[in-house]
Amino acid sequence: MNARQLEKLGIPRHSAKYAIAAVQELSAGGEFSRSQIKQRIIQVSENPELFVGDPVFEALAKDLLSEVAPSDYEPITYRTWGQNIDDGAYRQMENACQIPSAVGAALMPDAHIGYGLPIGGVLGLEGHVVPYAVGVDIACRMKLSVLDMPVASMIKQFDHYRSALENGTRFGVGCVHEKPQDHAVMDADWNVSRITRENKNKARRQLGTSGSGNHFVEFGVFTLTDTAPDLDLEPGEYVALLSHSGSRGSGAAVCSTYSNIARRMLPRQYANMGQLAWLDINSSEGQEYWDAMNLMGDYAAANHDVIHRQVTRLLGARVLQDVENHHNFAWKEVHNGKEIVVHRKGATPAGKGVLGVIPGSMAAPAFVVRGLGHPESLNSAAHGAGRMMSRKKAKETFNFRATQKNLEKLGIRVLTAGADEVPGVYKNIEQVMAEQSDLVEMVARFDPRIVKMCGDGSRAED
């Protein structure tokens, strides 16, 4: 009887070695049938206190009953950037800081409540990874491409730009391209886990699509005021293409599957952690998740690559420069001389000199930023403006058509979107940037002009 079989009988992985020893002892005696041994194991798992003192099951019973004294693990502290953060995000962050292997944490100014770890939460763990601290949309990312088109062409050739967006990608839950797109990522090893293997065909069909929720593809004015050697562009105004999406249905399947595994393996005394359940990265399950997560990172990057390739081809443009980054991912990094796993759930990597993109909303600017490498943020920054209103409340409060007409008067054409993504649901991006001036410096600005999002009101985790 192995650990997986014992798990089905109610024995957590951390207690498996004691259960296996008990099974071997009973089997060796020849007095119990296999079904009787299974039944006894179930009895121990359900009432371990009755088996303390039992010569065969005492070690298992004590392990099942064991609890770590509160004084053994002092929760770590964390620093917060920004003020306008809901109480739920603080509670989630405090829970995350109680994970025994936690060694660092921070909360970004765009923070709001999420699943497990809040959106805008940064968490460093020693030797462990939390699937829900990475997120449902693994490797959700930003990509900005500066194009060789004149800025005035967005007005003069609006229909051409609109057609490029509408035909270059697809939006919505489960959306696919009628003709699957090609990319080298589909030649990678999708057998790193059962879940990636089973989702490969779905991933192929969804490659180059944008999904739902706050995901978007848009054209806008890219303004570079000063010389930036790492961008290799002359100061001035350019047309740029900006996209936001992730690993689509495949990434969601990886998160769900391995989070459930982590919860089943969670030590009894930490059962209340729920969606903060962790995996040892050196375990077979942890390594499977790590490999699957990294494959989803490659897939998300490929997804953006295909979107930008398709849209720019239809537009007839050439890419002059691009900037991109994940913001739902985990990285092995060295902090304070120790390798740790840094989770950035809706947070942008901001190591010293690292370029990234932080968006606002359909009516507010995005910024290309350069990281300043702040150690207390674990080299992180916000990933956007951050929501300040639930999707349900937004739909009750705003009328998308009215917002669409008002934005058009301001020179912003929103092709499709939902009332849950209008500008009024987001924090002020200028304030968010001011609150993290010690985390990043602004390099360039992007102002939206032609925007496309999912229009059916379906959601995706930020």
Side-chain angles (χ1 to χ4, degrees):
M1 198 174 295
N2 58 35
R4 192 178 297 275
Q5 292 169 326
L6 287 165
E7 194 173 47
K8 294 179 181 179
L9 302 180
I11 303 298
R13 290 291 179 95
H14 68 88
S15 300
K17 63 180 180 180
Y18 301 108
I20 290 172
V23 169
Q24 290 174 340
E25 186 172 344
L26 290 181
S27 299
E31 299 178 11
F32 297 90
S33 66
R34 185 176 178 83
S35 62
Q36 288 175 323
I37 293 174
K38 282 186 176 182
Q39 188 58 42
R40 187 61 63 89
I41 291 292
I42 293 172
Q43 291 172 353
V44 178
S45 70
E46 292 178 345
N47 298 288
E49 66 280 359
L50 300 179
F51 291 84
V52 175
D54 186 287
V56 176
F57 290 107
E58 182 172 36
L60 173 59
K62 285 184 175 180
D63 191 66
L64 291 173
L65 290 169
S66 67
E67 292 188 5
V68 176
S71 59
D72 287 350
Y73 292 112
E74 286 293 333
I76 64 170
T77 58
Y78 66 95
R79 179 173 167 182
T80 300
W81 276 261
Q83 302 296 322
N84 187 21
I85 298 173
D86 59 76
D87 291 340
Y90 284 121
R91 288 195 296 271
Q92 287 186 319
M93 203 70 218
E94 288 161 6
N95 288 339
C97 287
Q98 296 181 49
I99 295 175
S101 59
V103 293
L107 197 58
M108 300 296 98
D110 60 335
H112 56 95
I113 195 166
Y115 297 111
L117 192 69
I119 310 300
V122 180
L123 180 66
L125 301 180
E126 189 173 359
H128 295 92
V129 62
V130 176
Y132 259 112
V134 169
V136 173
D137 192 7
I138 298 174
C140 188
R141 78 193 263 117
M142 303 296 306
K143 182 178 176 71
L144 181 143
S145 292
V146 182
L147 309 179
D148 66 345
M149 301 288 284
V151 170
S153 65
M154 284 189 286
I155 296 176
K156 295 178 180 179
Q157 302 178 54
F158 169 72
D159 287 340
H160 185 44
Y161 277 84
R162 177 177 61 189
S163 178
L165 284 184
E166 292 181 338
N167 294 303
T169 186
R170 299 289 183 271
F171 285 87
V173 174
C175 66
V176 299
H177 272 292
E178 290 80 4
K179 180 182 178 181
Q181 303 297 302
D182 293 322
H183 195 282
V185 75
M186 299 314 304
D187 296 324
D189 183 7
W190 284 71
N191 292 316
V192 294
S193 77
R194 177 181 62 83
I195 301 305
T196 51
R197 181 174 65 252
E198 292 176 350
N199 279 272
K200 183 177 181 179
N201 288 334
K202 175 191 285 187
R204 187 186 301 278
R205 295 193 302 272
Q206 292 190 327
L207 185 63
T209 64
S210 299
S212 61
N214 61 352
H215 293 165
F216 60 79
V217 183
E218 58 192 25
F219 289 110
V221 180
F222 177 86
T223 304
L224 181 63
T225 304
D226 300 313
T227 301
D230 41 2
L231 281 181
D232 193 25
L233 291 170
E234 292 297 321
E237 289 189 343
Y238 301 81
V239 171
L241 175 65
L242 181 64
S243 57
H244 174 217
S245 58
S247 51
R248 306 289 283 111
S250 302
V254 169
C255 175
S256 175
T257 298
Y258 286 94
S259 182
N260 287 338
I261 290 173
R263 292 180 75 164
R264 291 198 300 269
M265 296 175 66
L266 202 62
R268 179 184 294 267
Q269 62 268 31
Y270 296 110
N272 64 329
M273 286 291 188
Q275 290 174 328
L276 285 170
W278 58 85
L279 294 168
D280 185 329
I281 58 173
N282 293 315
S283 67
S284 59
E285 296 84 359
Q287 192 57 57
E288 271 189 21
Y289 172 76
W290 191 261
D291 291 342
M293 180 197 72
N294 277 283
L295 176 61
M296 292 300 95
D298 294 341
Y299 176 73
N303 200 32
H304 282 267
D305 189 34
V306 171
I307 291 170
H308 283 237
R309 182 182 72 195
Q310 288 288 97
V311 173
T312 54
R313 179 183 64 80
L314 291 169
L315 187 65
R318 183 171 65 92
V319 177
L320 302 177
Q321 186 59 269
D322 57 31
V323 180
E324 55 189 317
N325 64 270
H326 292 337
H327 52 232
N328 277 12
F329 211 62
W331 292 260
K332 291 179 181 178
E333 299 177 355
V334 176
H335 292 267
N336 296 319
K338 181 185 298 183
E339 183 182 82
I340 63 174
V341 178
V342 179
H343 304 70
R344 294 187 177 94
K345 173 82 162 291
T348 300
K352 190 171 182 61
V354 174
L355 292 178
V357 183
I358 300 177
S361 71
M362 62 176 65
F367 296 94
V368 173
V369 299
R370 186 183 296 115
L372 298 177
H374 199 300
E376 289 184 87
S377 75
L378 297 180
N379 294 347
S380 309
H383 86 309
R387 296 187 72 90
M388 61 180 184
M389 184 182 296
S390 70
R391 294 182 183 277
K392 180 180 179 182
K393 186 176 180 181
K395 292 174 183 177
E396 294 170 349
T397 305
F398 297 104
N399 179 284
F400 170 68
R401 295 301 177 193
T403 300
Q404 186 181 38
K405 291 178 181 178
N406 290 335
L407 290 179
E408 188 169 347
K409 294 175 184 176
L410 299 175
I412 302 169
R413 307 288 291 272
V414 182
L415 306 181
T416 53
D420 55 343
E421 285 297 330
V422 301
V425 309
Y426 284 98
K427 300 175 185 178
N428 184 313
I429 186 62
E430 305 273 8
Q431 181 180 343
V432 168
M433 297 305 295
E435 291 173 337
Q436 59 177 355
S437 60
D438 56 342
L439 303 183
V440 292
E441 58 182 345
M442 290 183 277
V443 176
R445 174 179 173 132
F446 171 93
D447 289 282
R449 289 292 180 266
I450 306 172
V451 181
K452 186 168 179 62
M453 305 183 75
C454 180
D456 65 6
S458 53
R459 67 162 298 174
E461 190 186 23
D462 298 343

